[in-house]
């Protein structure tokens, strides 16, 4: 899952990036509205954390322009505690949720997890795919109740596929959602990682769809769409 953070307070920006990375997300950051707007307009993010008070272009304008351009990723806005009118403007511009500053990082992370799950059509904090269970709060995946030993990258890959189970996910899409913008992307890496994950979860769950990509689905559903 790849997240964009747009926050001009350098300290808070760094705190957010660190907390998100520790939770298993890939993170790009922007420090003003113009840079943030550009990234959100051109890169595929699974969610955005957007401060409203930003230099160069304010957060409400950034969000309104994204929505007008059809960018529909979940957006969580950061507002000043006493500015209820900011929240109204933010929701009217297309925000999905908000936290007021100062906030507890755990609350922000919980709200973000809920946004990501809902965007993928899952209401519960656990996502199940046959014998696999992803606990999004603990950032852990079990198979038949036994925790899988996954590297951080393998976790990201499998968690992304579990959010999008039943879909054929292309290698390009995986690359875009598993690496940040500065990473030297090499699509062979994805293939190698798929091979390792397949060994850990069993090849019947994770199919290669020749020429199109990969599909994670419960064994009884075979090739069916979710
Ligand atoms: Ca600010």
């Amino acid at each position: 899952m790849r997240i964009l953070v747009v926050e001009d307070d350098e300290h808070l920006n760094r705190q957010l990036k660190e907390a998100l990375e520790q939770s298993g997300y890939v993170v790009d950051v922007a420090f003003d509205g113009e840079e943030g707007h550009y990234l959100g307009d051109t890169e595929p993010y699974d969610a955005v954390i957007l401060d409203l008070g930003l230099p160069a272009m304010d957060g409400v304008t950034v969000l309104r322009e994204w929505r007008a351009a059809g960018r529909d990723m979940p957006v969580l806005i950061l507002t000043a505690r006493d500015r209820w009118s900011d929240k109204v403007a933010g929701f009217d511009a297309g925000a999905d949720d908000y936290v007021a500053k100062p906030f507890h990082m755990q609350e922000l992370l919980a709200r973000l997890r809920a946004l990501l799950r809902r965007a993928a059509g899952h209401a519960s904090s656990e996502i199940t795919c046959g014998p696999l269970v992803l606990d999004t709060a603990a950032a852990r995946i079990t198979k038949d109740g036994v925790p899988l030993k996954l590297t951080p990258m393998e976790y990201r890959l499998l968690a992304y596929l579990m959010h999008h189970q039943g879909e054929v996910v292309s290698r390009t899409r995986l690359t875009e959602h598993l690496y940040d913008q500065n990473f030297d992307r090499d699509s062979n890496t994805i293939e190698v990682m798929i091979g390792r994950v397949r060994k850990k979860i069993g090849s019947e769950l994770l199919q290669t769809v020749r020429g199109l990509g990969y599909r994670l689905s419960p064994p009884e559903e075979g090739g069916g769409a979710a």
Side-chain angles (χ1 to χ4, degrees):
M1 297 280 170
R2 189 173 168 200
I3 312 293
L4 172 65
V5 171
V6 189
E7 167 61 65
D8 59 313
D9 179 326
E10 289 190 18
H11 180 66
L12 181 55
N13 190 310
R14 193 169 52 242
Q15 276 187 321
L16 283 164
K17 182 175 161 67
E18 281 172 11
L20 290 165
E21 285 178 347
Q22 276 166 19
S23 302
Y25 302 108
V26 194
V27 185
D28 289 338
V29 296
F31 294 89
D32 66 58
E34 258 174 30
E35 187 190 7
H37 174 262
Y38 174 76
L39 285 174
D41 207 33
T42 53
E43 297 285 328
Y45 292 103
D46 295 293
V48 179
I49 295 169
L50 176 68
D51 185 31
L52 290 188
L54 290 167
M57 187 191 281
D58 71 87
V60 167
T61 306
V62 169
L63 183 51
R64 200 177 287 132
E65 292 204 0
W66 281 341
R67 295 316 194 206
R71 307 293 289 174
D72 62 355
M73 63 283 193
V75 174
L76 187 151
I77 53 172
L78 306 179
T79 66
R81 176 157 295 273
D82 49 349
R83 298 282 296 274
W84 64 268
S85 55
D86 281 2
K87 291 167 204 159
V88 174
F91 280 118
D92 283 344
D96 298 280
D97 200 357
Y98 78 95
V99 292
K101 294 178 182 180
F103 54 84
H104 289 284
M105 197 58 82
Q106 291 308 321
E107 182 188 350
L108 179 137
L109 291 171
R111 289 183 177 276
L112 179 66
R113 287 194 296 274
L115 282 185
L116 290 166
R117 289 195 311 263
R118 284 204 300 269
H122 305 279
S124 139
S125 72
E126 287 191 344
I127 297 176
T128 302
C129 176
L132 301 176
V133 177
L134 164 63
D135 179 339
T136 59
R140 190 184 57 189
I141 302 172
T142 56
K143 185 186 180 193
D144 297 317
V146 180
L148 290 171
K149 288 202 178 75
L150 301 166
T151 66
M153 274 307 296
E154 290 166 3
Y155 170 79
R156 277 186 216 157
L157 173 77
L158 189 51
Y160 186 82
L161 289 171
M162 287 188 76
H163 275 85
H164 298 280
Q165 59 186 278
E167 294 174 35
V168 178
V169 179
S170 72
R171 214 182 300 169
T172 308
R173 182 168 149 199
L174 282 173
T175 307
E176 285 172 345
H177 288 268
L178 299 181
Y179 297 107
D180 63 41
Q181 56 169 343
N182 300 317
F183 194 86
D184 182 17
R185 296 169 186 184
D186 172 3
S187 60
N188 284 332
T189 317
I190 295 281
E191 218 167 280
V192 171
M193 223 172 3
I194 287 277
R196 287 205 307 259
V197 168
R198 194 177 266 146
K199 271 194 197 126
K200 293 181 182 181
I201 67 170
S203 56
E204 70 283 2
L205 292 171
L206 180 50
Q207 302 122 17
T208 299
V209 183
R210 198 173 292 278
L212 294 176
Y214 308 97
R215 179 174 49 216
L216 183 78
S217 51
E220 62 270 24
E221 285 180 17

